[in-house]
């Protein structure tokens, strides 16, 4: 390499380091015209192009560099990292493995390989390499965190905890490792220890909005709802513009029945940081969920006046507000413009579908549904609205999409082998589930009214009865799926498998609901699932002995906000120990009941089987 070439490369590198990516690319291109076989020029160009968002140009330059220098470790490592960060971790493995063979003691290469293995689902390999890394770099918290993450992902949370404990013996005052330990303890349902762990993380210099949110959740799970609320308020003082912390704080304020407006802190933060559209959007969303729709009008006026960017979501709220105050034609035009400007934005189109259904234009609503489903055939919310449109149109495809006879299945959940009597098993479960309900009001963002819901994924709880319950539910669900119709073209039946093992099931969520007298679920669907189910754990006599449908689950009545009066297509009377399964996009809700006793259920969503 001549001195002139070295000088050009150094100058290109200085441009790159200074963030002058276009200048770096131009200089490298100029150099390559006179020295076409210089790998470093291609390498620098590849990095600069990736920083400008030119993935195609970056990859082309990386491959040109690799053809000229196939065993250059920094090139292999950087290209592997590029592949991983662009969503192709499996493709990165070949290059990173080669780099490790050439330079087995280079810690950054081993770290990159382990991370790619983790993201490729090769958890045992990722853990093995990360553990090697902890021996090479015992004072590096990232190595311990990576090893623990791999152990956790392979299902060995106890091993992950041991790994972090070993790391903390080496670096006891490392805040990040204390945070990792708190996260693992919380995942292991050691909520009291976890809440203390978050305090240690903060003591040793680690702080984030997520730390406060996660500590508040650990406190809530420990039964300390007021301490959890105090924790969110303290966190918001330090991180006043974090959307997820605001969401959790508002939810907790509402569910604990605390005094004051649960949205006042959020709305104040939005006004203080007016350019943060996410805060305004969250405020509008929660006002809508609390049925305080008239306040959205003033919120939108304030947002506009104070300079909030008018994102598609904010403009959707504007269009909905126009419809609410009677300016329906203008609202429709707004939605039409938004759909033209953002043709792939499902949220905009789903809101337009709702608007059209409210105005009685089922034909056009169904047409927009098909547009969304063309891009995402399994969009559960859009499938739900399409079922309404087809029903209003008296289209026979409704019965194909939502077959209320065959798609709603009732499965008996058997008592585990540890219990001979189903009655004894479900009675014991009732007492356990009651202890998990730590709040006083329904969640701010759920369909529940007049009751409470457990926090987080129910089956993570360390209790033998919960473990038994999960096992028995898995068996019942697998048995039901084995009886599904076989229709590859159908958005629901198409995800069935001929043979399903109970261990194949992957839950999108599981929780318990405790309904009090006059409690119910509004009509809703489950957008994150494929197959949804509810298991009845305890029922008041007023429900089991009712001559009417009190406390029953009804199917086919759409969201009340649509103002469409349609009778249910099917009503199922609940029975203790019966699991009712149905497509996640099928409208369902609960009919209120009157009793001094609670109605306790476990609900769950299941993802399509891979």
């Amino acid at each position: 390499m001549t001195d002139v070439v070295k000088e050009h490369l150094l100058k290109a590198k200085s441009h790159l380091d200074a963030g002058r990516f276009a200048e770096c690319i131009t200089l490298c291109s100029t150099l390559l015209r006179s020295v076409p076989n210089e790998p470093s020029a291609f390498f620098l160009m590849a990095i600069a192009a990736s920083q400008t968002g030119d993935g195609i140009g970056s990859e082309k330059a990386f491959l040109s560099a690799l053809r000229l220098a196939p065993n250059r470790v920094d090139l292999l490592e950087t290209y592997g990292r590029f592949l991983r960060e662009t969503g192709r971790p499996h493709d990165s493995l070949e290059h990173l493995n080669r780099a490790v063979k050439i330079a087995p003691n280079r810690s950054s290469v081993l770290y990159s390989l382990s991370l790619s293995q983790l993201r490729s689902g090769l958890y045992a390999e990722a853990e093995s390499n990360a553990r090697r890394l902890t021996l090479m770099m015992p004072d590096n918290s990232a190595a311990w965190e990576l090893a623990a993450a791999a152990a956790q992902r392979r299902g060995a949370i106890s091993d992950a905890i041991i790994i972090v404990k070993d790391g903390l013996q080496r670096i006891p005052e490392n805040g990040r490792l204390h945070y990792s330990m708190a996260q693992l303890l919380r995942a292991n349902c050691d909520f009291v220890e976890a809440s203390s762990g978050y305090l240690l993380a903060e003591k040793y210099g680690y702080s984030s909005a997520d730390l406060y949110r996660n500590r508040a959740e650990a406190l809530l799970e420990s039964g300390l709802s007021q301490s959890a609320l105090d924790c969110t308020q303290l966190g918001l003082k330090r991180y006043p513009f974090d959307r997820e912390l605001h969401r959790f704080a508002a939810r907790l304020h509402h569910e604990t029945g605390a005094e004051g407006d649960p949205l006042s802190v959020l709305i104040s933060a939005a006004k203080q940081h007016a350019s943060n559209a996410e805060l305004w959007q969250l405020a509008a969303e929660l006002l809508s969920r609390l049925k305080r729709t008239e306040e959205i009008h003033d919120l939108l006026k304030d947002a506009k006046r104070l300079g909030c960017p008018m994102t598609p979501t904010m403009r959707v709220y504007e269009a909905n507000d126009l419809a609410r105050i009677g300016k329906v034609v203008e609202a429709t035009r707004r939605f039409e413009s938004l759909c033209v400007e953002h043709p792939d934005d499902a949220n905009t189109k789903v809101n337009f579908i709702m608007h059209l259904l409210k105005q009685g234009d089922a034909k056009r609503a169904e047409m927009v549904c098909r547009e969304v489903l063309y891009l995402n055939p399994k969009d559960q919310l859009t499938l739900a609205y399409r079922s309404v449109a087809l029903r209003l149109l008296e289209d026979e495809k409704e019965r194909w999409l939502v077959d209320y006879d065959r798609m709603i299945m009732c499965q008996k959940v058997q008592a585990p082998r540890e219990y001979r009597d189903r009655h004894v098993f479900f009675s014991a479960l009732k007492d356990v589930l009651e202890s998990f309900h730590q709040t006083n009001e329904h969640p701010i963002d759920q369909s529940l009214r007049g009751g409470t819901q457990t926090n987080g994924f129910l089956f993570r709880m360390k209790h033998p009865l919960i473990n038994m319950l999960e096992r028995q539910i898995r068996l019942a669900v697998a048995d039901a799926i084995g009886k599904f119709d076989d229709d590859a073209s159908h958005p629901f039946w198409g995800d069935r498998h001929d043979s399903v093992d109970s261990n194949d099931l992957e839950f999108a969520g599981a929780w318990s609901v405790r309904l009090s007298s006059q409690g119910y679920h509004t009509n809703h669907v489950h957008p994150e699932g494929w197959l949804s189910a509810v298991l009845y754990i305890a029922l008041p006599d007023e429900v089991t002995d009712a001559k009417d449908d009190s406390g029953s689950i009804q199917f086919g009545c759409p969201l009340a906000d649509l103002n469409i009066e349609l009778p249910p297509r099917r009503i199922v009377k609940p029975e203790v120990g019966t699991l009712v399964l149905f497509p996640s996009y099928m409208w369902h809700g609960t009919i209120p009941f009157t009793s001094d006793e609670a109605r306790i259920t476990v609900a769950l969503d299941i993802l399509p089987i891979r």
Side-chain angles (χ1 to χ4, degrees):
M1 184 185 296
T2 67
D3 290 341
V4 174
V5 171
K6 286 181 182 178
E7 183 181 343
H8 273 76
L9 290 173
L10 285 171
K11 193 171 182 180
K13 181 71 165 54
S14 69
H15 284 318
L16 182 65
D17 293 342
R20 297 188 294 270
F21 306 122
E23 289 92 328
C24 175
I25 292 169
T26 299
L27 191 57
C28 288
S29 297
T30 301
L31 177 61
L32 286 167
R33 280 196 289 271
S34 56
V35 189
N37 294 322
E38 176 48 61
S40 293
F42 282 115
F43 188 12
L44 292 172
M45 183 187 293
I47 298 171
S50 71
Q51 294 298 311
T52 65
D54 180 10
I56 295 174
S58 177
E59 183 155 18
K60 183 178 178 182
F62 270 124
L63 292 174
S64 295
L66 280 169
R67 278 194 293 272
L68 296 166
N71 295 317
R72 182 167 160 178
V73 173
D74 60 343
L75 177 53
L76 289 165
E77 178 185 1
T78 307
Y79 183 48
R81 189 165 60 242
F82 166 83
L83 290 170
R84 183 180 67 243
E85 298 310 318
T86 53
R88 291 177 288 166
H90 190 77
D91 292 343
S92 73
L93 296 177
E94 174 191 347
H95 307 283
L96 293 171
N97 272 310
R98 194 195 314 168
V100 167
K101 285 181 181 178
I102 296 168
N105 296 319
R106 186 159 170 168
S107 59
S108 63
V109 177
L110 192 59
Y111 181 88
S112 200
L113 173 60
S114 178
L115 186 56
S116 285
Q117 289 170 331
L118 180 70
R119 293 191 185 175
S120 299
L122 303 172
Y123 303 131
E125 294 89 334
E127 183 182 347
S128 176
N129 282 318
R131 282 179 180 269
R132 276 181 59 198
L133 200 58
T134 63
L135 297 175
M136 294 166 59
M137 306 172 63
D139 295 333
N140 187 308
S141 64
W144 295 101
E145 289 176 53
L146 185 55
Q152 183 182 16
R153 291 292 291 275
R154 70 174 173 83
I157 194 166
S158 57
D159 288 355
I161 290 172
I162 291 170
I163 289 169
V164 176
K165 279 183 179 177
D166 290 344
L168 284 170
Q169 293 224 332
R170 180 74 192 198
I171 38 178
E173 297 185 359
N174 186 279
R176 282 194 61 88
L177 268 189
H178 278 289
Y179 181 72
S180 293
M181 178 60 81
Q183 290 284 81
L184 288 168
L185 289 169
R186 181 170 160 243
N188 204 39
C189 301
D190 298 322
F191 301 119
V192 174
E193 288 186 57
S195 61
S196 299
Y198 291 119
L199 287 178
L200 283 172
E202 191 169 31
K203 175 184 176 181
Y204 292 118
Y206 181 85
S207 185
S208 68
D210 282 344
L211 181 147
Y212 285 97
R213 181 176 56 79
N214 288 317
R215 181 166 187 262
E217 292 212 44
L219 289 165
L220 178 64
E221 300 281 16
S222 304
L224 303 171
S225 56
Q226 184 57 51
S227 296
L229 190 60
D230 293 341
C231 181
T232 61
Q233 298 311 308
L234 182 61
L236 286 172
K237 288 179 180 177
R238 293 198 62 177
Y239 300 95
F241 308 125
D242 186 84
R243 180 184 63 176
E244 292 311 309
L245 184 56
H246 270 291
R247 181 187 290 278
F248 184 73
R251 176 196 140 192
L252 195 58
H253 188 132
H254 176 77
E255 288 186 51
T256 56
E259 293 183 0
D261 182 356
L263 304 187
S264 61
V265 175
L266 168 60
I267 292 172
S268 176
K271 290 178 179 178
Q272 290 175 41
H273 194 53
S275 63
N276 189 330
E278 288 188 342
L279 292 180
W280 292 105
Q281 288 165 190
L282 178 60
E285 176 196 335
L286 297 183
L287 283 171
S288 178
R289 290 187 181 278
L290 289 170
K291 304 303 179 187
R292 292 161 54 178
T293 50
E294 291 185 3
E295 296 177 51
I296 296 176
H297 181 80
D298 291 333
L299 183 86
L300 293 171
K301 282 176 63 177
D302 287 341
K304 219 165 191 178
R305 176 175 57 82
L306 294 170
C308 170
M310 284 296 106
T311 63
T313 301
M314 288 297 288
R315 291 169 66 190
V316 163
Y317 279 116
E318 279 190 320
N320 284 329
D321 188 57
L322 285 169
R324 183 190 64 80
I325 62 177
K327 297 183 178 180
V328 174
V329 174
E330 187 176 348
T332 302
R333 287 173 181 160
R334 292 283 186 96
F335 275 118
E336 289 170 343
S337 297
L338 275 168
C339 288
V340 170
E341 295 170 32
H342 305 280
D344 298 333
D345 185 9
N347 177 64
T348 295
K349 288 194 173 180
V350 167
N351 274 271
F352 188 28
I353 291 163
M354 292 174 64
H355 169 77
L356 292 168
L357 288 172
K358 288 178 187 178
Q359 308 313 318
D361 192 349
K363 185 175 181 179
R364 191 173 183 192
E366 200 275 330
M367 180 184 72
V368 181
C369 284
R370 282 188 278 115
E371 291 177 7
V372 177
L373 294 170
Y374 178 78
L375 297 174
N376 183 5
K378 304 295 177 65
D379 187 297
Q380 300 294 294
L381 201 52
T382 305
L383 289 167
Y385 286 121
R386 189 178 187 216
S387 73
V388 178
L390 291 171
R391 183 173 176 182
L392 292 171
L393 294 168
E394 298 182 351
D395 191 314
E396 62 182 17
K397 286 194 289 291
E398 184 220 351
R399 292 290 186 178
W400 174 84
L401 182 61
V402 277
D403 187 322
Y404 295 96
D405 294 325
R406 291 186 300 155
M407 289 180 176
I408 300 169
M409 302 184 69
C410 297
Q411 247 350 65
K412 292 286 186 185
V413 172
Q414 301 301 322
R417 56 182 175 271
E418 295 86 349
Y419 283 79
R420 292 185 178 181
D421 189 303
R422 292 176 80 238
H423 175 74
V424 174
F425 175 59
F426 285 103
S427 294
L429 267 174
K430 172 184 179 293
D431 295 336
V432 172
L433 291 172
E434 287 264 26
S435 70
F436 294 158
H437 287 262
Q438 305 289 354
T439 54
N440 304 315
E441 298 287 343
H442 69 267
I444 200 170
D445 55 355
Q446 299 295 325
S447 63
L448 176 61
R449 300 293 181 269
T452 59
Q453 180 172 307
T454 54
N455 184 61
F457 182 57
L458 177 65
F459 296 149
R460 81 195 196 286
M461 304 299 284
K462 290 195 301 181
H463 193 288
L465 276 177
I466 298 301
N467 295 335
M468 293 178 201
L469 175 65
E470 180 186 357
R471 186 176 70 221
Q472 298 309 110
I473 285 177
R474 283 179 173 275
L475 290 170
V477 172
D479 183 54
I481 292 174
K483 302 170 186 173
F484 280 9
D485 285 3
D486 187 2
D487 183 352
S489 67
H490 196 281
F492 177 66
W493 300 126
D495 282 317
R496 77 173 291 278
H497 281 236
D498 291 330
S499 178
V500 178
D501 187 275
S502 62
N503 294 319
D504 294 335
L505 303 178
E506 184 178 354
F507 294 99
W511 60 96
S512 171
V513 171
R514 184 186 189 278
L515 283 179
S516 303
S517 188
Q518 292 302 302
Y520 66 100
H521 283 276
T522 61
N523 297 318
H524 65 289
V525 297
H526 295 196
E528 304 303 320
W530 159 61
L531 174 66
S532 296
V534 58
L535 172 64
Y536 298 99
I537 305 295
L539 295 168
D541 291 341
E542 290 84 351
V543 172
T544 55
D545 299 338
K547 303 301 181 187
D548 58 13
D549 295 320
S550 295
S552 295
I553 184 170
Q554 64 180 11
F555 295 92
C557 297
L559 185 72
D561 289 353
L562 297 179
N563 299 319
I564 299 172
E565 294 295 330
L566 290 173
R569 288 293 202 191
R570 184 175 171 185
I571 296 174
V572 176
K573 189 175 181 65
E575 293 180 28
V576 171
T578 295
L579 185 73
V580 180
L581 303 103
F582 49 90
S584 296
Y585 62 74
M586 186 179 280
W587 292 104
H588 59 285
T590 305
I591 299 170
F593 65 95
T594 301
S595 176
D596 292 333
E597 297 296 317
R599 174 187 184 273
I600 299 176
T601 58
V602 167
L604 48 111
D605 289 330
I606 295 165
L607 295 171
I609 297 166
R610 296 174 182 174

